[in-house]
Amino acid sequence: MADPGDNFVQRQDTAVYETTEPVLYAVQDGIASVTMNRPAFNNAQNSQMTYALDAAFRRAVDDDAVKVIVLRGAGKHFSAGHDIGTPGRDINKPFERQALWWDHTNKPGGEQYFVREQEVYLGMCRRWHDLPKPTIAMVQGACIAGGLMLAWVCDLIVASDDAYFQDPVVRMGIPGVEYFAHAHELNPRIAKEFLFLGERMPAERAYQMGMVNRVVPRADLEASTYEWAARIAQQPRMGLALTKTVINRVEELQGLRTTMDVAFGYHHFAHTHSQLLGAGTLGGQDAKSMVAENKRDHER
Ligand code: ZN
């Protein structure tokens, strides 16, 4: 069952963090490496990680020596998605916010989730998508739901041949993750298949659909990603920033921003509907049940 505390005004934050470094940051030869660092939880994203990612991206933007940013995940998987069940799940904890929405933690009903997700999911992802330096997602293993959001906000995606992409949240009664780029990253019919079935899309098919730039053997993933990063790092900073800005504006003209605003409303109707039915915000699902059903689907 979902956490009963999800239903109304928040109780105390009870998160217990397993690390003080949920994101690692390093710079070499003009390339910033931003590494999600919760491998024990397949890089599940809690707010601690989200705000650390934001700080790392800001650091990379502020450093004139950085030309390009690689986003990666420590361990076997890129990211299993948003944290819906580790001891470090911290949805009740206030952080220093980056947008001008008010604090969500003491708000009743649907307001709490709506405000939180405006900030930590939709707001952050839009902010990162628009950061003025090129970003490359280096994806291995699982890239699920909230993980998909992080890969999608990057300008380029290099995946290993064992990577897969999946948004299974329709099972929670929710029409896809908060940063709804599905029908822009994939053509609408494939996006429907991807969401209706909630199955894993292998890297190779994602490549065929144009969602991924390159697929390489797992052993070559790092070298291939950094080879591209090194080449991009040779380009002039403003040329890269202007090019990225123009293409991002094209995506907006194609309706990306409006699609997301519409989807976000439906997404929150779904969270609130589920609460009204007494099933918590996630349609009665939690991390354990999602993993179990995922496993069952893939053994069929
Ligand atoms: Zn949500």
Side-chain angles (χ1 to χ4, degrees):
M1 274 305 291
D3 184 346
D6 285 353
N7 276 328
F8 266 109
V9 177
Q10 284 308 316
R11 69 273 188 258
Q12 288 295 310
D13 167 51
T14 55
V16 179
Y17 294 136
E18 81 286 357
T19 178
T20 54
E21 282 192 302
V23 171
L24 305 176
Y25 182 83
V27 178
Q28 198 176 3
D29 302 328
I31 304 165
S33 295
V34 175
T35 306
M36 293 180 275
N37 187 39
R38 299 188 73 201
F41 300 110
N42 299 324
N43 298 319
Q45 302 160 37
N46 54 8
S47 292
Q48 181 203 29
M49 178 188 280
T50 302
Y51 284 91
L53 282 171
D54 193 66
F57 288 137
R58 172 170 286 277
R59 202 170 155 188
V61 170
D62 285 348
D63 182 351
D64 287 346
V66 170
K67 301 291 286 293
V68 55
I69 301 162
V70 173
L71 174 63
R72 52 191 291 174
K76 277 173 69 179
H77 301 287
F78 179 75
S79 173
H82 296 143
D83 187 340
I84 58 170
T86 83
R89 188 185 190 210
D90 53 3
I91 60 171
N92 306 310
K93 195 178 171 75
F95 282 82
E96 196 173 318
R97 299 178 306 281
Q98 296 302 329
L100 280 177
W101 278 93
W102 47 80
D103 176 29
H104 71 278
T105 56
N106 59 353
K107 299 302 183 291
E111 181 177 353
Q112 180 203 46
Y113 254 53
F114 187 89
V115 171
R116 175 173 188 270
E117 296 195 350
Q118 279 282 354
E119 160 82 4
V120 296
Y121 297 153
L122 188 60
M124 287 291 194
C125 282
R126 280 178 165 166
R127 177 178 161 87
W128 300 337
H129 183 235
D130 268 344
L131 69 82
K133 293 184 179 178
T135 49
I136 306 175
M138 179 181 123
V139 179
Q140 83 281 20
C143 181
I144 303 175
L148 209 50
M149 292 170 42
L150 288 191
W152 282 344
V153 299
C154 291
D155 299 310
L156 304 174
I157 301 178
V158 179
S160 58
D161 50 9
D162 66 347
Y164 62 88
F165 302 85
Q166 184 181 23
D167 186 352
V169 310
V170 174
R171 188 175 287 146
M172 300 171 171
I174 298 171
V177 287
E178 293 82 2
Y179 185 85
F180 193 96
H182 309 63
H184 292 266
E185 295 283 350
L186 299 165
N187 83 41
R189 202 173 303 283
I190 307 292
K192 286 176 183 166
E193 174 194 332
F194 187 67
L195 283 162
F196 290 175
L197 295 169
E199 289 179 343
R200 298 175 179 182
M201 178 179 281
E204 187 53 38
R205 187 163 190 226
Y207 173 75
Q208 288 161 9
M209 295 298 119
M211 197 182 98
V212 161
N213 295 87
R214 269 186 97 175
V215 181
V216 298
R218 175 70 171 257
D220 301 340
L221 179 64
E222 188 167 17
S224 300
T225 305
Y226 282 80
E227 193 237 326
W228 266 16
R231 281 163 56 187
I232 293 169
Q234 302 305 313
Q235 300 275 35
R237 177 171 61 235
M238 274 303 281
L240 291 167
L242 297 175
T243 303
K244 173 166 179 169
T245 302
V246 171
I247 296 177
N248 281 14
R249 293 298 83 81
V250 169
E251 287 185 284
E252 279 176 20
L253 288 169
Q254 289 170 336
L256 180 64
R257 190 174 179 88
T258 309
T259 301
M260 274 183 202
D261 286 337
V262 170
F264 195 76
Y266 283 91
H267 182 99
H268 279 277
F269 170 74
H271 276 316
T272 304
H273 179 58
S274 178
Q275 285 187 309
L276 278 171
L277 295 177
T281 50
L282 305 179
Q285 301 280 354
D286 60 16
K288 218 176 252 174
S289 69
M290 290 299 283
V291 169
E293 291 189 36
N294 203 4
K295 199 162 169 242
R296 198 197 55 214
D297 280 359
H298 287 275
E299 280 167 1
R300 227 175 247 153

